[in-house]
């Protein structure tokens, strides 16, 4: 009983300290990245599960994860070779496609939170959609997507 109470007090103190260590915007960034991480659980891909959350005016307007197009088996890799199938959709593209299909909101001045740094093709789509900044957690095998975004005037942050 006493140990449980002590652990509870320690947890409360840590939460209070964490709240003081980070700005409100940093806490929101962490929350939205955790939401993108939760979206990865929807992916059926074996090699890498990626999630994306698009936020506009402080509200989540779309989520996406890597997978296959509507109507296809939820298998992203070739069964014999393990290579990613060419029609696998990246998380960012999935989130943007959902907005086009269902949202009608648009991404102008939105922020993208992605668990993995965007590839060049997704970076181009994000820039063209009007996203104003991109946050990611894990690095991709190359930096071309981030370089493209920065050259387009869109800041990219690893968090």
């Amino acid at each position: 009983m006493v140990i449980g109470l002590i652990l509870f007090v320690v947890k409360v103190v840590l939460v209070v300290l964490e709240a003081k260590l980070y700005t409100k915007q940093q806490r929101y960034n962490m929350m939205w990245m955790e939401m993108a991480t939760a979206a990865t659980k929807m992916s059926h891909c074996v090699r890498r599960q990626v999630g994306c959350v698009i936020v506009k005016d402080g509200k989540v307007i779309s989520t996406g994860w890597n997978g296959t197009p509507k109507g296809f088996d939820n298998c992203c890799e070739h069964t014999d070779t393990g290579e990613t199938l060419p029609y696998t959709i990246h998380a960012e593209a999935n989130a943007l496609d959902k907005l086009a299909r269902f949202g009608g909101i648009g991404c102008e001045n939105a922020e993208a939170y992605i668990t993995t740094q965007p590839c060049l093709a997704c970076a181009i789509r994000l820039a063209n959609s009007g996203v104003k900044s991109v946050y990611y957690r894990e690095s991709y095998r190359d930096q071309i997507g981030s370089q493209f975004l920065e050259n387009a005037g869109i800041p990219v942050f690893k968090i």
Side-chain angles (χ1 to χ4, degrees), residues 55-76:
V55 176
K56 184 174 180 176
D57 300 327
K59 297 172 190 73
V60 174
I61 59 171
S62 189
T63 58
W65 49 87
N66 56 329
T68 54
K70 184 179 176 188
F72 283 73
D73 280 342
N74 280 325
C75 181
C76 302

Side-chain angles (χ1 to χ4, degrees), residues 9-27:
V9 170
V10 168
K11 273 186 172 179
V12 169
V13 168
L14 289 174
V15 168
V16 169
L17 286 174
E18 184 175 302
K20 290 184 180 190
L21 291 174
Y22 298 104
T23 66
K24 187 175 185 178
Q25 184 60 51
Q26 288 170 322
R27 291 193 313 272

Side-chain angles (χ1 to χ4, degrees), residues 108-124:
E108 194 67 35
N109 293 317
E111 300 170 315
Y113 294 83
I114 313 158
T115 57
T116 301
Q117 188 176 20
C119 68
L120 178 59
C122 289
I124 292 168

